[in-house]
Amino acid sequence: MSAYTSLWAKSDPPHPLWCHLLDVGAVIEAFWDAVLSEGAHRRMARALGLSAGEARILIIFLGALHDIGKAAPQFQFQDEALAAQTKDAGFGISRFVKREPRGAIGAEILYRHLTDTCAWEEKVAHDVTTAIGAHHGIVEGIDQRLFPSQGIWHEAHHDLIAMVETAFGLGDISSVRPGHLDRVGLCEIAGLISYCDWIGSASEYFTQGDYVLLFTGVISVEEYVTRTRENAKRALRESGWRRTPSMANRDWGGLFGDGFAPNELQRTGTCQ
């Protein structure tokens, strides 16, 4: 596997970055497929100027890569013990870099990928990646001076992006290009990703005791994504999440249980 397997995302207990990206991607995938209503799908799709199917692909992609900004020396060398394995894998710092918000670094990495590789319009890429970079509640502007992606760091970014595309069967993301953007809708999408990041960071569901095997790449992406998809479904189920039944073509008993009797106002509203 790539050298990216040595990069970490969580320190207590240790958890690799590539696993965390798949954890959150799996939560977003499960949330979209099993919790969000068709109306929510359409609303988020309109915010991106895409079909619901295209929006699903893009939101899983962006959400999984929400923390790609952790694949940078500003983050990786914060923990001395975990930094040792990062250095052993060949990652280093060619010059002094000060600590910067990882959300801003991640937004810049994604911005460069979407404009250079996927040929997105710069304004669209800026607005989308800024929203994703604000998943911790702080909106940071994109500044390419923060961390010019070079050498092994650039290779890690490329490989992590390709890993996410392959793991979730998203295909070539460059074929999905948003049209007009609705900024209110982008805030809703950012909120979804933020919440799924919180669920995907719950150690009782996603942090494994075999982290040494994960850091060394002994456990494959295919094996891990199968595991984390099941964990994501369990986490949402045990958190009480389920899709709210649609009111379309359902009577009162079907919505609220047999024996429910609507009052006159409710019956009138139904007739209208």
Side-chain angles (χ1 to χ4, degrees):
M1 292 185 72
S2 168
Y4 70 67
T5 60
S6 69
L7 302 175
W8 61 279
K10 309 289 182 182
S11 60
D12 186 21
H15 196 52
L17 176 59
W18 70 275
C19 296
H20 177 60
L21 301 187
L22 294 181
D23 295 339
V24 176
V27 175
I28 294 172
E29 179 185 57
F31 208 94
W32 181 280
D33 292 345
V35 176
L36 292 179
S37 66
E38 291 183 4
H41 293 169
R42 291 191 297 269
R43 189 169 61 249
M44 292 187 189
R46 284 196 301 269
L48 294 167
L50 297 170
S51 69
E54 291 172 328
R56 177 186 182 275
I57 290 172
L58 185 58
I59 290 171
I60 292 172
F61 173 79
L62 293 171
L65 291 166
H66 71 291
D67 259 351
I68 196 170
K70 289 183 176 180
Q74 290 95 325
F75 180 86
Q76 287 298 310
F77 293 101
Q78 292 182 74
D79 185 288
E80 185 175 348
L82 292 170
Q85 67 184 23
T86 303
K87 292 176 182 177
D88 289 345
F91 293 93
I93 306 176
S94 59
R95 60 182 178 82
F96 175 77
V97 289
K98 64 178 181 178
R99 182 175 178 180
E100 298 285 354
R102 59 183 179 274
I105 296 174
E108 191 274 316
I109 293 169
L110 287 175
Y111 172 84
R112 184 170 51 247
H113 176 75
L114 293 174
T115 53
D116 294 352
T117 303
C118 300
W120 279 28
E121 294 181 10
E122 292 185 1
K123 180 67 166 59
V124 172
H126 176 276
D127 289 351
V128 170
T129 55
T130 298
I132 304 308
H135 65 275
H136 284 295
I138 301 175
V139 178
E140 300 283 351
I142 294 175
D143 185 348
Q144 296 189 22
R145 295 172 299 175
L146 291 180
F147 176 50
S149 180
Q150 299 173 347
I152 192 171
W153 294 102
H154 177 73
E155 293 173 12
H157 301 154
H158 175 274
D159 291 348
L160 286 168
I161 290 169
M163 177 205 68
V164 165
E165 289 179 332
T166 301
F168 293 106
L170 303 178
D172 183 4
I173 203 70
S174 64
S175 64
V176 180
R177 298 181 188 176
H180 68 278
L181 295 179
D182 175 70
R183 292 198 173 192
V184 174
L186 279 180
C187 289
E188 183 178 16
I189 293 169
L192 169 66
I193 292 172
S194 180
Y195 179 76
C196 290
D197 178 28
W198 181 69
I199 293 290
S201 299
S203 59
E204 62 266 36
Y205 294 109
F206 296 100
T207 303
Q208 310 296 324
D210 51 0
Y211 64 86
V212 174
L213 299 180
L214 297 174
F215 274 119
T216 56
V218 173
I219 296 176
S220 68
V221 171
E222 293 77 15
E223 181 181 353
Y224 187 82
V225 79
T226 298
R227 175 197 300 181
T228 200
R229 276 174 160 154
E230 291 304 312
N231 289 339
K233 293 174 184 177
R234 182 167 65 91
L236 292 178
R237 184 173 61 251
E238 294 181 1
S239 298
W241 283 104
R242 63 181 179 84
R243 177 170 289 142
T244 302
S246 171
M247 293 187 69
N249 302 318
R250 299 193 65 172
D251 58 21
W252 291 100
L255 286 169
F256 300 107
D258 295 338
F260 179 87
N263 60 36
E264 183 177 353
L265 178 61
Q266 290 167 330
R267 287 195 300 269
T268 303
T270 302
C271 292
Q272 297 299 321

